[in-house]
Amino acid sequence: MVHQDSTVQGADDAVRCIRLTLAYDGSHYLGWQKQPQGKTIQGVLEEALQQLTGAPTRVLASGRTDVGVHALGQVAAFRTKSRLGCPVIQRALNALLPSDIVVLSVEEVPLSFHPIRDARRKRYRYLIWDSPLKPVFLRQYVWFLGKPLDVQAMVAAAAYLLGEHDFSAFETGGAKRKTSVRTVYELTVTRRHPGLPNLITVEIEANGFLYNMVRNIVGSLVEVGRGAYAPAWMQQVLLRKDRRLAGPTAPGSGLFLVGVSYSDTPVASSPDPWDLFTTRGHSSASCD
């Protein structure tokens, strides 16, 4: 049993900012953001923190993953008057949280830290299964397609999206943004896992993403892979900035937030596209 922190209400307590790196299986959650009804990652995490510190605690993440979307390296932060050390917070949260959420690292950061505004790069991975046979044990982590895809055509189409562009064509209607211009640093399509020949990995890193941008790009790449369009069609969609011309939105189940970088350094990623269990940063930074 985890004991609550009895020091929260102390008069000499100073507010601290704590940054978490999380991995989670989003299969049984209504996404990150807390909802009036239904289980969410944010809701479960905030309940655990309240149990640990004895005070209501709001957690802000680098991005709100949707229903069924997973994370290998989500970054979140919260403020607290608790004096619990970072290693203690990590161990306690992992004891309180369900088995499909794990805290990979905990560190104290300046109060000015903001997980959304300070993010410089994000990396996502999308998994596709293109065998006629259903992937029984992977069904919650891939987009199952019944026919083989032309990966080389998808690679050629992906090349048109590299660099700085207006990605309006790949944004599902949502909150208004100041600009739809984003820079894609890397976009790869590979079929390289020796033990899973029907597994296709789409990996994309950018300085930011519009709502459903990754899933809409993947849906469009799949249209090319199916032979519905030539690779050059992707450039036409991009230039015309019309969401109706792009492909469908890929299901959330195949999407993973790989990680977030708060500098210009690329997000660390495993060279193995199926290494879903890579954990970056198991050790906690010490808190004074």
Side-chain angles (χ1 to χ4, degrees):
M1 180 177 179
V2 178
H3 296 285
Q4 291 185 354
D5 179 10
S6 61
T7 69
V8 172
Q9 302 300 325
D12 60 345
D13 290 342
V15 175
R16 305 156 66 207
C17 184
I18 305 296
R19 180 165 76 182
L20 309 174
T21 302
L22 307 161
Y24 50 81
D25 179 340
S27 302
H28 304 296
Y29 294 87
L30 298 178
W32 166 269
Q33 188 173 16
K34 200 170 182 179
Q35 306 287 340
Q37 301 291 332
K39 187 169 66 171
T40 67
I41 304 293
Q42 182 186 22
V44 170
L45 183 57
E46 289 182 355
E47 287 176 8
L49 281 168
Q50 180 164 359
Q51 186 175 346
L52 175 61
T53 67
T57 304
R58 181 172 179 265
V59 183
L60 184 65
S62 68
R64 297 177 295 181
T65 51
D66 287 334
V67 177
V69 176
H70 319 287
L72 306 180
Q74 173 71 282
V75 175
F78 65 93
R79 292 187 174 192
T80 182
K81 291 183 178 180
S82 167
R83 292 199 296 266
L84 290 173
C86 292
V88 174
I89 293 173
Q90 182 181 17
R91 289 195 300 269
L93 284 178
N94 281 333
L96 290 167
L97 290 168
S99 59
D100 49 9
I101 305 175
V102 63
V103 179
L104 301 176
S105 68
V106 179
E107 59 183 315
E108 186 165 355
V109 293
L111 287 174
S112 60
F113 175 75
H114 194 287
I116 300 174
R117 289 197 301 264
D118 294 346
R120 295 292 176 263
R121 290 177 178 233
K122 288 185 181 179
R123 189 178 189 92
Y124 283 92
R125 178 178 300 160
Y126 198 95
L127 301 179
I128 300 168
W129 186 265
D130 71 342
S131 167
L133 300 176
K134 298 176 182 178
V136 176
F137 300 108
L138 305 179
R139 65 191 184 281
Q140 296 182 123
Y141 311 108
V142 300
W143 182 9
F144 168 60
L145 298 170
K147 295 182 179 180
L149 299 178
D150 183 343
V151 170
Q152 291 308 309
M154 295 169 71
V155 169
Y160 290 107
L161 303 183
L162 291 172
E164 184 179 84
H165 303 285
D166 184 329
F167 283 92
S168 299
F170 302 100
E171 178 182 20
T172 301
K176 287 291 184 181
R177 309 226 183 208
K178 291 182 179 179
T179 177
S180 298
V181 175
R182 298 291 185 272
T183 300
V184 172
Y185 303 111
E186 180 182 338
L187 177 51
T188 61
V189 184
T190 57
R191 191 201 296 275
R192 64 187 184 190
H193 196 282
L196 298 169
N198 295 112
L199 183 70
I200 298 171
T201 304
V202 180
E203 195 102 355
I204 180 168
E205 184 165 327
N207 63 352
F209 292 90
L210 305 171
Y211 182 54
N212 277 347
M213 177 174 157
V214 177
R215 291 165 61 189
N216 292 336
I217 286 175
V218 170
S220 301
L221 289 173
V222 164
E223 290 297 288
V224 174
R226 284 173 168 162
Y229 301 99
W233 166 77
M234 190 68 80
Q235 184 181 40
Q236 299 172 20
V237 172
L238 181 68
L239 294 176
R240 294 185 66 178
K241 306 175 186 178
D242 188 340
R243 173 69 189 97
R244 294 170 298 179
L245 301 179
T249 303
S253 58
L255 184 61
F256 295 77
L257 172 59
V258 174
V260 186
S261 175
Y262 290 89
S263 69
D264 292 329
T265 304
V267 178
S269 180
S270 166
D272 185 342
W274 184 238
D275 189 5
L276 298 184
F277 307 104
T278 297
T279 54
R280 290 164 292 280
H282 265 300
S283 59
S284 299
S286 61
C287 296
D288 296 329

